[in-house]
Amino acid sequence: MSGEFLILFFLVAVVLVGGAIVFSYYAAPSSTNPVKHDPYECGIPTKGLTWLQFNVGYYLFAIIFLVFDVETVFVFPWSVMMREKSMGMTAFVEIIIFFFVLVLGLMYAWKKKALIWE
Amino acid sequence: MGVKIKSMKYEDFEDNETLELFKQSGGNILFTTLDGIINWGRSNSIWPLTFATSCCGIEMMATGAARHDFARFGIEVYRASPRQADVIVVAGTIVPKMAPVLKRLYDQMPDPKYVIAMGACAVSGGPFVNSYHIVKGVDKIIPVDVYVPGCPPRPEALLYGVMQLQRKIKLESAFNKKKDK
Amino acid sequence: MAEEIIIKEADEQEISINMGPQHPSTHGVLRLVLSLKGEIVNKVEPHCGYIHRGIEKMTESMTYQQIIHLTDRLDYLSAHINNGAVCLAVEKALEVEVSERVKVIRTIMDELNRIASHQLWWCSFGMDLGGLTCFFYGLRDREKILDIFEETTGSRLIQSYYCPGGLMADLHPNFQTKVKEFIKYFRKILPEYDELLSGNIIMMERAIGMGLLTKEQAISYGVTGPSGRGSGFSCDVRKHHPYHAYDKVKFNEVLRTEGDTYARYMVRMDEMRESMNIIEQLIDNIPEGDYVAKMKPVIKLPEGEYYQRVEAARGEFGVYIISKGEKNPYRMKLRSPNFSNLSSLDLMARGNKIADLVAIGGSLDYVIPDIDR
Amino acid sequence: MTNQELKDNLQRIEPTATIEEGKQYLNVTVSPEKWHNLATQLKENKELAFDYLFNLTGVDYGDNLGVVYHLESTTHHHVVVVKVATNRENPEIPTICDIWRTAEFHEREAFDFFGIKFTNHPDLRRIFLDEDWKGFPLRKDYDPSVNPTY
């Protein structure tokens, strides 16, 4: 695996993403008004205090979601490689252990009542 | 310099006065192919804001549903927040208590943004024109691009209004801002 | 000095959020100011008036034929039924005897309108719970009813078909065949609706036991229509004070006693079947006769007060006319069903999560221009 | 229960009220001071049992303002119409939203359109119009130019 592919890959990324941003900066019309950057709350100016402590449940749900979302990122390359004959059994056992560890995490969260909203 | 709009033949548009007017005014814009591409993209994917105040909202829902499908014209999905909407279809009566809210929604939409005034209430106050609590036409609050008359207008009328808006977008030029915007 | 930030105790910190005029789940421009603790709703305070057009003030300067074109823009999903209320009030005041044909046609049109309204409720209720397919199925079948309306009355949503003394025009020749076709088609489709949403475990999980309203609370808050009948409050005006041709038709009033969102849901689904029964009993024997009675061009109601109650798709719609003998009413009050139904929203939504408030609002099925008038 | 028995019953409960037979329903006119305990009587009394207030209307009779209550009993299915009149300068009617909960919203609406103040109403504010709306629209002498028109 020589380095050129890496550099080429990086260059294509920069050109595509950077180009899109720069092009849209010039092509798109833009207008500013005092209300444009205010928070949107169904058309009514926001009132009252938003600086307050949030419920911890939101954080727990986010963590559990993150765990299972990242898990699918690992499963995709695995399922592509699964078709090669050579890796048959070992890849399968490997993913079972991977899932087992995650299910352990889920059961722990379940027992700790992280999933139930009080 | 006839403006080439592939989907509909130029002659099919009966009311072409906006185009004629635009050309007589010496619209000396350089209509590059880049503009053509941008306008093709913009006009064929206009996402409306879910904004329906009264009866025209039901006809707008019927236009969005299975029979008179909006999505054929690129109006794929109703965005709930103005941050992701391109057009605000004012479907229904606007009253003075709602006027600042509508103005705020319009201001919070990113450019390029358009307004379709749907129904007699949004165009000119409609059947409630001599009431004590009515805004007689939405163009008193926000600039309107297309007026769709009717009370409520039929879904086909709204579709024709959307096609007129698409024609209007196809005339814009992103780079030469010499026109009186 | 900047506003001094008071950090209250964690558990009684409340944030007040606008579920405001422009919100996908408020079915129009109703602004609910929620005070929340995390996801739990502590208080719901409805702010109406964002579509208040002052219809009652306008009626004081309009003749009765003109008022018809305003009352069907109130609750535009039961346009026929609202117009029927005004026409009945005027006819009863003038002691005009309307022919049998008109009564039967009005009953059929009202029931078709009720089915169309419940179909649209079913679409938006499915969408409130996140099921987008209901939107497309429901409105596809609703288009069939709108075709029937369009053929006879000329317009789809707001027909202004009734006029004081009868109807604007007679029925379209193939009105009966189309209605029969629709009934046969819709009898097959309604079980599909049940499979799609009623039997759906997610929907049942979110609706059963949610938004409880007892019968006494329903009566005290004036919650009528399918929302009230879901809690056992028998308020069907078609049964207690029959009008049009409802006394000649056999149908039973759909009543449930659980009083939760699922009960209100099932009441509306069964009501669609009842409406189809009514139409089937009437569609084959529409009596002959003239479709409008002889009326003076300028209608002047004799001095006095008249009250007419009808069963709109969302509850009891009432028209209270005080007339001083001129050609326009001295005062006309329109009793809107959704206005009273809305007052019970705060009672039902307390202690539930925001998503449940959306489901409860969907089950109350309020139409905002009818609240604000 | 026929109108006649209803009439006698009401006469017994509230002698000062004037009762006459309207075209459709029995009309009872009562003064604002007596209205609150008549309302509790109408609700608590077992034979009357008017537990459903289906309409509350504010009316401008020209020289004075008034409120019309339409009450029905869900058990006996009889209806009575109660009218309470009050002066124009300082319209004051006791609230009945502790008896029928639906009156809370309807009274706010009557206040919004007519300016009739309902004493000890929990939260008497305008329900439809803006807080700073000048004048009461449904009064006969309302002049629309006093508010900004678009």
Side-chain angles (χ1 to χ4, degrees):
Chain A
M1 262 292 281
S2 55
E4 299 94 14
F5 287 118
L6 209 60
I7 298 161
L8 183 66
F9 183 78
F10 179 71
L11 271 181
V12 163
V14 162
V15 162
L16 278 181
V17 170
I21 293 173
V22 164
F23 178 74
S24 74
Y25 176 74
Y26 284 107
S30 73
S31 68
T32 57
N33 55 56
V35 178
K36 190 144 197 177
H37 301 294
D38 279 2
Y40 158 70
E41 197 180 326
C42 298
I44 303 280
T46 52
K47 234 184 18 295
L49 208 58
T50 49
W51 183 269
L52 77 166
Q53 292 150 337
F54 270 89
N55 191 319
V56 75
Y58 288 115
Y59 178 68
L60 293 178
F61 262 92
I63 290 295
I64 294 169
F65 167 74
L66 196 65
V67 164
F68 287 97
D69 202 23
V70 170
E71 173 216 351
T72 43
V73 167
F74 289 126
V75 166
F76 282 138
W78 166 77
S79 59
V80 166
M81 296 313 293
M82 186 61 183
R83 271 184 291 114
E84 270 77 10
K85 275 286 158 296
S86 62
M87 314 215 344
M89 206 42 208
T90 56
F92 187 71
V93 168
E94 206 177 280
I95 207 72
I96 292 297
I97 298 165
F98 181 68
F99 277 146
F100 177 70
V101 169
L102 281 172
V103 164
L104 268 184
L106 177 62
M107 276 155 54
Y108 173 73
W110 203 324
K111 200 172 71 56
K112 280 287 186 197
K113 290 204 178 27
L115 300 180
I116 298 155
W117 195 276
E118 110 286 352
Chain B
M1 182 266 298
V3 175
K4 205 172 63 49
I5 297 163
K6 281 191 298 305
S7 54
M8 258 187 107
K9 283 199 294 303
Y10 186 72
E11 298 70 27
D12 289 351
F13 283 106
E14 295 85 51
D15 47 0
N16 284 334
E17 74 285 354
T18 40
L19 282 177
E20 304 312 330
L21 256 174
F22 174 69
K23 266 193 266 172
Q24 278 132 22
S25 71
N28 43 24
I29 60 164
L30 181 63
F31 206 79
T32 62
T33 51
L34 199 57
D35 279 332
I37 296 166
I38 296 174
N39 291 341
W40 164 77
R42 251 183 221 151
S43 63
N44 285 333
S45 137
I46 318 168
W47 284 6
L49 174 73
T50 30
F51 182 83
T53 47
S54 57
C55 350
C56 289
I58 303 293
E59 282 297 80
M60 193 163 80
M61 281 160 76
T63 322
R67 184 171 174 188
H68 314 273
D69 198 354
F70 244 159
R72 294 175 290 158
F73 293 88
I75 300 189
E76 197 49 50
V77 69
Y78 283 94
R79 297 310 297 175
S81 110
R83 304 298 193 197
Q84 302 140 7
D86 301 328
V87 68
I88 184 167
V89 181
V90 182
T93 324
I94 297 297
V95 291
K97 192 171 183 182
M98 187 68 187
V101 176
L102 178 61
K103 182 79 181 91
R104 188 179 170 90
L105 287 176
Y106 179 75
D107 288 347
Q108 287 184 340
M109 280 166 75
D111 277 84
K113 51 190 172 188
Y114 310 98
V115 173
I116 294 183
M118 172 185 181
C121 294
V123 169
S124 67
F128 311 103
V129 75
N130 46 29
S131 156
Y132 59 88
H133 196 243
I134 181 77
V135 171
K136 299 182 176 57
V138 172
D139 41 22
K140 294 193 165 40
I141 312 167
I142 48 180
V144 173
D145 288 298
V146 173
Y147 295 93
V148 180
C151 183
R154 291 182 54 83
E156 289 87 351
L158 184 59
L159 290 180
Y160 185 72
V162 162
M163 285 157 64
Q164 294 299 341
L165 181 67
Q166 286 178 335
R167 258 181 77 233
K168 199 168 183 180
I169 295 173
K170 285 195 167 89
L171 269 177
E172 282 176 359
S173 158
F175 295 103
N176 319 67
K177 298 261 181 319
K178 281 185 289 304
K179 287 208 307 328
D180 43 32
K181 180 63 185 163
Chain C
M1 201 270 288
E3 184 211 305
E4 180 242 331
I5 295 167
I6 322 121
I7 303 292
K8 285 186 276 183
E9 268 317 304
D11 53 9
E12 26 97 10
Q13 277 176 351
E14 274 181 12
I15 183 170
S16 112
I17 278 185
N18 281 309
M19 203 159 145
Q22 192 264 330
H23 191 278
S25 83
T26 51
H27 299 255
V29 280
L30 168 72
R31 175 177 160 213
L32 302 173
V33 178
L34 315 176
S35 56
L36 306 168
K37 197 157 69 56
E39 280 281 304
I40 306 296
V41 175
N42 275 358
K43 190 164 88 69
V44 176
E45 196 204 333
H47 283 236
C48 326
Y50 286 90
I51 186 84
H52 168 64
R53 301 171 283 202
I55 288 182
E56 284 173 3
K57 179 79 175 179
M58 286 172 69
T59 54
E60 284 164 11
S61 58
M62 291 172 115
T63 67
Y64 291 97
Q65 292 95 333
Q66 289 169 333
I67 290 173
I68 299 292
H69 301 286
L70 285 189
T71 46
D72 52 19
R73 279 162 176 81
L74 277 172
D75 181 354
Y76 36 79
L77 290 174
S78 29
H80 278 302
I81 306 167
N82 297 348
N83 286 353
V86 175
C87 296
L88 278 172
V90 169
E91 283 147 17
K92 212 179 282 180
L94 296 171
E95 279 105 21
V96 166
E97 198 31 53
V98 180
S99 73
E100 272 313 305
R101 181 179 177 79
V102 170
K103 284 198 176 116
V104 169
I105 293 177
R106 280 184 178 171
T107 313
I108 297 174
M109 284 297 193
D110 277 11
E111 290 314 313
L112 278 174
N113 207 325
R114 198 184 311 280
I115 296 177
S117 162
H118 285 335
Q119 277 173 337
L120 195 114
W121 154 78
W122 188 75
C123 305
S124 55
F125 188 69
M127 235 173 25
D128 284 351
L129 298 186
L132 270 182
T133 38
C134 309
F135 180 78
F136 294 102
Y137 283 119
L139 281 178
R140 170 201 64 183
D141 301 334
R142 188 167 179 274
E143 289 288 332
K144 293 189 169 37
I145 296 185
L146 297 188
D147 284 350
I148 297 170
F149 280 159
E150 192 182 350
E151 230 180 6
T152 306
T153 65
S155 90
R156 296 158 45 95
L157 180 72
I158 294 179
Q159 295 86 7
S160 303
Y161 182 51
Y162 302 165
C163 69
L167 306 167
M168 292 282 192
D170 209 340
L171 285 181
H172 192 274
N174 51 30
F175 171 80
Q176 281 162 329
T177 47
K178 276 217 164 173
V179 169
K180 276 188 235 159
E181 257 166 45
F182 169 72
I183 299 278
K184 190 155 52 65
Y185 162 80
F186 198 53
R187 282 237 185 264
K188 277 203 319 328
I189 293 289
L190 211 47
E192 265 181 43
Y193 281 19
D194 280 337
E195 269 159 43
L196 188 61
L197 199 59
S198 318
N200 183 319
I201 185 66
I202 299 170
M203 183 269 185
M204 289 160 83
E205 198 61 44
R206 285 187 63 178
I208 293 178
M210 193 60 59
L212 291 169
L213 186 73
T214 66
K215 182 178 175 195
E216 290 65 32
Q217 283 168 342
I219 295 174
S220 170
Y221 277 86
V223 180
T224 54
S227 323
R229 286 194 283 279
S231 337
F233 170 28
S234 147
C235 58
D236 197 334
V237 183
R238 299 175 293 179
K239 271 287 180 212
H240 300 309
H241 313 281
Y243 53 95
H244 293 332
Y246 282 112
D247 38 17
K248 289 187 272 306
V249 177
K250 280 197 320 307
F251 70 100
N252 39 48
E253 185 184 358
V254 183
L255 266 177
R256 279 173 173 268
T257 51
E258 300 90 354
D260 55 6
T261 308
Y262 196 72
R264 289 187 284 272
Y265 174 89
M266 284 317 287
V267 163
R268 287 197 179 87
M269 296 302 276
D270 297 343
E271 245 183 35
M272 282 202 249
R273 292 186 179 89
E274 283 309 317
S275 294
M276 283 195 280
N277 297 342
I278 295 173
I279 294 175
E280 260 165 357
Q281 290 171 40
L282 287 174
I283 193 68
D284 283 334
N285 35 45
I286 300 181
E288 288 313 314
D290 52 3
Y291 60 87
V292 70
K294 194 76 199 64
M295 295 287 282
K296 288 197 293 298
V298 179
I299 297 174
K300 287 192 164 72
L301 293 194
E303 181 105 13
E305 290 155 17
Y306 311 96
Y307 194 89
Q308 176 59 39
R309 314 161 68 163
V310 280
E311 179 64 26
R314 280 158 190 73
E316 179 194 317
F317 178 78
V319 174
Y320 175 54
I321 302 177
I322 301 179
S323 162
K324 288 244 167 36
E326 291 110 19
K327 61 180 169 47
N328 35 44
Y330 181 74
R331 161 81 163 117
M332 175 186 258
K333 158 83 178 178
L334 305 160
R335 193 262 179 201
S336 122
N338 297 291
F339 188 47
S340 311
N341 294 0
L342 178 72
S343 55
S344 67
L345 180 67
D346 177 41
L347 175 78
M348 291 195 274
R350 278 189 190 211
N352 292 320
K353 302 185 182 61
I354 301 177
D356 303 332
L357 167 69
V358 170
I360 295 165
S363 79
L364 275 178
D365 181 20
Y366 36 70
V367 166
I368 313 305
D370 191 50
I371 292 174
D372 294 349
R373 285 184 297 277
Chain D
M1 182 192 281
T2 66
N3 274 357
Q4 191 45 41
E5 291 150 9
L6 204 56
K7 201 168 172 182
D8 307 341
N9 247 324
L10 286 174
Q11 202 62 52
R12 193 165 32 75
I13 293 169
E14 188 50 62
T16 64
T18 62
I19 304 170
E20 83 269 344
E21 180 69 41
K23 275 204 178 93
Q24 279 172 313
Y25 305 123
L26 195 68
N27 294 348
V28 178
T29 322
V30 79
S31 65
E33 300 74 26
K34 295 275 189 307
W35 164 226
H36 195 271
N37 81 60
L38 173 65
T40 36
Q41 294 282 338
L42 288 176
K43 177 89 189 282
E44 303 317 332
N45 185 322
K46 275 301 147 262
E47 300 105 19
L48 298 173
F50 284 104
D51 50 359
Y52 175 34
L53 166 71
F54 60 90
N55 194 9
L56 186 150
T57 324
V59 186
D60 176 356
Y61 290 111
D63 45 8
N64 60 5
L65 298 177
V67 177
V68 181
Y69 302 84
H70 284 70
L71 292 152
E72 187 193 17
S73 154
T74 49
T75 46
H76 311 306
H77 290 300
H78 49 241
V79 173
V80 77
V81 174
V82 180
K83 295 193 181 135
V84 182
T86 166
N87 55 51
R88 275 188 89 90
E89 294 65 34
N90 177 4
E92 197 83 39
I93 294 180
T95 180
I96 50 164
C97 71
D98 44 353
I99 306 164
W100 295 285
R101 296 299 308 156
T102 186
E104 192 182 334
F105 268 32
H106 283 89
E107 279 171 356
R108 275 179 65 187
E109 181 199 348
F111 168 70
D112 191 350
F113 288 156
F114 290 93
I116 303 169
K117 281 185 273 306
F118 291 88
T119 46
N120 50 52
H121 183 281
D123 142 32
L124 197 63
R125 287 185 279 108
R126 283 186 180 269
I127 190 165
F128 290 130
L129 296 168
D130 275 342
E131 300 304 329
D132 49 13
W133 188 272
K134 290 180 279 302
F136 300 104
L138 273 179
R139 283 193 182 188
K140 293 294 178 191
D141 54 6
Y142 171 72
D143 142 37
S145 63
V146 88
N147 288 304
T149 56
Y150 278 68

